[in-house]
Amino acid sequence: MTTINEEVVPILYVKDAGAAAHWYARLGFGKEWEHRFAPDLPAFVEVARGSVRLFLSEHEGDARPGTLVYLRVRDVDAVAAEFGVPVEDQAWARETELRDPDGNRIRVGTPADSA
């Protein structure tokens, strides 16, 4: 029997999975795989950054546009520099918020006890 690590993988609605995967590459995510039931049907893509995974789906019923995902990282300042956005100090973390090309919100933070 195969052992599987339990995890939660958020699904984000995207209009163009290829363009979205390219945008997420700027956050350090690499494309793991892509599935289509047929060449002219919507794509379903997995991207990963270490053990963190996201599903990017062109299927309209899979997720609501404008979803919010929180991503904890070791260095939020490096992420903010890549995207040219400011970082805010909160009591719990240093954070910034990004929007992917489809309007999904990605809040990125480094916990205060790690900064």
Side-chain angles (χ1 to χ4, degrees), residues 12-24 31 33-36 42-47 56-59 102:
L12 301 175
Y13 172 71
V14 297
K15 292 178 185 168
D16 180 335
H22 181 74
W23 187 89
Y24 279 92
K31 184 176 173 180
W33 52 261
E34 178 177 327
H35 172 74
R36 292 176 189 263
F44 192 90
V45 172
E46 179 181 270
V47 294
L56 307 175
S57 177
E58 293 177 357
H59 297 266
D102 297 287

Side-chain angles (χ1 to χ4, degrees), residues 46-68:
E46 179 181 270
V47 294
R49 175 188 165 129
S51 63
V52 177
R53 302 191 179 295
L54 295 171
F55 290 149
L56 307 175
S57 177
E58 293 177 357
H59 297 266
E60 291 183 15
D62 281 352
R64 300 177 74 183
T67 297
L68 171 63

